[in-house]
Amino acid sequence: MHAGLEEGKLNLIVFDNEDTLRSLLEGLGLEVGQGKKILRDGKAEKCSCCDEPLTTKNLGNLMPGSLELFCDRPTCLAGYILRYRGH
Ligand SMILES: [Zn+2]
């Protein structure tokens, strides 16, 4: 895992592989269930912005400290950053 910008993609965290991501999620108290769905307390976790159910495939970013997860649409993360900076 490293922080940085990928060309054409707004990403704060880039996950190198699924095992890293899985252990990170488990460390945060989340689970990876069937179909690579991300679960919190057994329920499907959704993007904090657009309510898209999250999997390890479409997870775009997570915000350390807030436990808010986002899908891989750049607009969702951008929306969060704008909201956060507005406070
Ligand atoms: Zn989203």
Side-chain angles (χ1 to χ4, degrees), residues 14-49:
V14 178
F15 301 106
D16 291 326
N17 64 61
E18 205 158 307
D19 284 346
T20 310
L21 177 55
R22 186 182 288 252
S23 36
L24 178 65
L25 291 169
E26 286 172 0
L28 293 169
L30 302 164
E31 291 169 73
V32 180
Q34 282 193 337
K36 303 186 194 296
K37 286 195 189 91
I38 297 174
L39 306 173
R40 190 198 300 252
D41 299 328
K43 287 188 203 154
E45 182 70 7
K46 292 176 179 172
C47 173
S48 292
C49 181

Side-chain angles (χ1 to χ4, degrees), residues 46-54 58 69-77:
K46 292 176 179 172
C47 173
S48 292
C49 181
C50 71
D51 279 349
E52 177 83 11
L54 290 170
N58 73 355
L69 305 187
F70 297 88
C71 70
D72 55 6
R73 286 181 212 179
T75 46
C76 287
L77 180 63

